[in-house]
Amino acid sequence: MKYRLMDLLACPMCKHFPLKLFVFSEKEIDRKLSQEDKKPLCELYCAYKSAFIKDLNSLPPCEECIRNEIVEGVLYCESCNRWYPIIDEIPRMLPDKLRKEEEDIKFLEKHKDKIPKTILSNGVPFRLK
């Protein structure tokens, strides 16, 4: 998943923006910005810096951002406590009724030392017991 996508994603359940991003692993891609793309790529929110564009003191690091892709991580909605796994570079943002509890619990168990305790104990729709 590209960091740039965070400028577009909102919680599918409550529509909160921006989602909080926790990155567990990423990979570097050999990619460069063209000269005309030197302006900020994100319009509202820079996930690479975890800040709104208007709050940054300098231009966002777009060159670094487009070279790094998130392989595994979690998207978290601070409004409704829902979390969404990022697996194999794909954010899995399904509604609660389409999610599989067994798969989500395995994901939480696998990454429990990297996932914030708030998600592990209070996350929706599933949490560790």
Side-chain angles (χ1 to χ4, degrees):
M1 181 183 109
K2 294 176 182 10
Y3 281 91
R4 164 84 175 89
L5 189 57
M6 294 299 295
D7 190 41
L8 307 171
L9 291 178
C11 178
M13 301 304 280
C14 75
K15 312 304 183 226
H16 176 76
F17 173 87
L19 297 173
K20 193 144 175 85
L21 172 65
F22 299 95
V23 178
F24 306 151
S25 64
E26 60 184 14
K27 67 180 181 182
E28 193 168 314
I29 307 293
D30 186 22
R31 187 178 297 145
K32 298 215 184 289
L33 283 174
S34 65
Q35 285 295 25
E36 56 268 8
D37 286 333
K38 292 295 181 181
K39 64 180 176 29
L41 298 175
C42 297
E43 294 176 20
L44 297 174
Y45 186 76
C46 174
Y48 200 77
K49 286 288 192 177
S50 298
F52 282 95
I53 298 293
K54 66 179 175 59
D55 297 334
L56 293 174
N57 293 332
S58 61
L59 287 176
C62 297
E63 191 79 43
E64 293 173 46
C65 179
I66 66 160
R67 281 198 320 262
N68 293 296
E69 291 197 6
I70 302 157
V71 177
E72 284 193 310
V74 164
L75 298 170
Y76 177 64
C77 177
E78 295 175 305
S79 177
C80 69
N81 288 332
R82 279 185 175 73
W83 62 275
Y84 305 97
I86 301 168
I87 303 170
D88 295 329
E89 302 174 43
I90 301 170
R92 313 283 169 99
M93 299 181 73
L94 296 171
D96 296 350
K97 63 184 176 185
L98 295 178
R99 293 177 69 169
K100 296 182 178 158
E101 183 175 6
E102 185 178 323
E103 289 177 14
D104 281 356
I105 296 297
K106 280 183 185 177
F107 181 86
L108 291 173
E109 284 288 344
K110 178 181 178 184
H111 299 289
K112 67 181 171 190
D113 54 334
K114 300 173 191 165
I115 296 174
K117 292 187 185 337
T118 304
I119 296 172
L120 294 175
S121 60
N122 298 320
V124 175
F126 308 113
R127 65 189 72 72
L128 293 181
K129 298 184 175 30

